[in-house]
């Protein structure tokens, strides 16, 4: 084995060892220590699986909005007598928005709502992610107390920001939880590759001197 290969081999192994791997992270907001009455904040942060999730809120009705945290999940509070669910109506459609910002790029595996009736009574939502891609949500993949939508593979919503907006004339629900997988950060990998290339150049120059 040449000198350059001997010197590069440990570096390649080290880079492989520290390269970030995709890992699952679950964020559970349903019956997970939330207060009985909604507690409203401009932003809430959560950590799981090495990821940090920051949740903020908006309202298409022009009202200032806060994230509402309660035992049955996260909603949106716009003031006054607002029920603090993620809601929309015939007069405010589309309606409230939950904005989920992750500390690094993710792929969404599942998303669950509480107080969700789906197409039965008119609950509907729009999930938006990177580059303006979106999916309209009506009937969940699985039912139960917290009906769940699931995704897999290349069709999974991905990026650092997901937006959940209530649509329809009678929507009223809360975000109960979600599961995501962290995506290895490509800039870090590029930096490793550049470092290895620089090491190879330095080795060749040393041999030529």
């Amino acid at each position: 084995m040449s000198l350059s290969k001997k010197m590069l081999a440990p570096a390649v192994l080290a880079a492989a060892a520290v390269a970030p791997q995709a890992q699952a992270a679950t964020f559970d907001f349903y019956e997970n220590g939330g207060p009985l009455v909604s507690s409203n904040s401009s932003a809430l942060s959560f950590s799981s699986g090495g990821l940090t999730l920051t949740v903020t809120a908006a309202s298409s009705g022009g009202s200032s909005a806060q994230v509402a945290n309660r035992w049955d999940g996260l909603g949106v509070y716009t003031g006054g007598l607002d029920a603090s669910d993620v809601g929309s109506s015939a007069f405010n459609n589309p309606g409230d928005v939950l904005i989920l910002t992750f500390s690094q790029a993710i792929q969404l595996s599942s998303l669950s709502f509480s107080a969700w009736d789906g197409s039965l009574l008119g609950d509907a939502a729009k999930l938006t992610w990177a580059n303006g891609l979106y999916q309209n949500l009506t009937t969940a993949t699985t039912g139960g107390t917290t009906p769940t939508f699931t995704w897999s593979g290349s069709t999974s919503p991905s990026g650092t920001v997901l937006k959940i907006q209530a649509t329809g004339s009678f929507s009223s629900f809360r975000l109960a939880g979600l599961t995501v997988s962290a995506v290895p950060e490509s800039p870090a990998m590029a930096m490793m590759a550049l470092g290895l290339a620089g090491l190879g150049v330095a080795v060749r120059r040393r041999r030529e001197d």
Side-chain angles (χ1 to χ4, degrees):
M1 181 182 292
S2 68
L3 176 60
S4 60
K5 289 183 178 179
K6 286 181 180 179
M7 296 185 68
L8 283 174
V12 171
L13 291 175
V18 300
Q21 303 296 316
Q23 56 181 328
T26 298
F27 297 89
D28 184 10
F29 312 118
Y30 185 80
E31 294 185 345
N32 197 30
L36 294 177
V37 178
S38 283
S39 173
N40 306 315
S41 306
S42 58
L44 291 175
S45 292
F46 307 89
S47 296
S48 177
L51 289 173
T52 299
L53 165 62
T54 301
V55 184
T56 54
S59 175
S60 63
S63 304
S64 59
Q66 294 181 303
V67 182
N69 182 24
R70 200 171 66 187
W71 66 273
D72 54 348
L74 304 182
V76 178
Y77 176 69
T78 57
L81 300 177
D82 183 34
S84 74
D85 290 336
V86 184
S88 62
S89 68
F91 305 102
N92 182 29
N93 179 21
D96 298 335
V97 186
L98 281 176
I99 304 166
L100 314 180
T101 304
F102 296 88
S103 55
Q104 74 175 76
I106 57 89
Q107 279 193 315
L108 180 64
S109 302
S110 67
L111 180 71
S112 58
F113 296 134
S114 63
W116 174 266
D117 298 312
S119 56
L120 180 64
L121 296 178
D123 281 344
K126 181 179 180 180
L127 175 65
T128 307
W129 62 98
N131 301 319
L133 297 174
Y134 71 92
Q135 182 175 346
N136 292 315
L137 308 180
T138 52
T139 304
T141 307
T142 59
T145 307
T146 56
T148 301
F149 298 85
T150 59
W151 294 268
S152 62
S154 60
T155 60
S156 300
S158 60
T160 56
V161 178
L162 303 178
K163 294 182 180 181
I164 301 167
Q165 182 165 34
T167 59
S169 300
F170 302 102
S171 291
S172 181
F173 58 91
R174 284 179 175 260
L175 175 61
L178 65 156
T179 301
V180 301
S181 295
V183 176
E185 297 179 335
S186 55
M189 297 299 290
M191 291 293 288
M192 289 181 189
L194 287 172
L196 290 174
L199 179 59
V201 171
V203 169
R204 284 195 297 271
R205 286 181 177 175
R206 181 174 296 180
R207 292 186 63 192
E208 291 170 358
D209 290 341

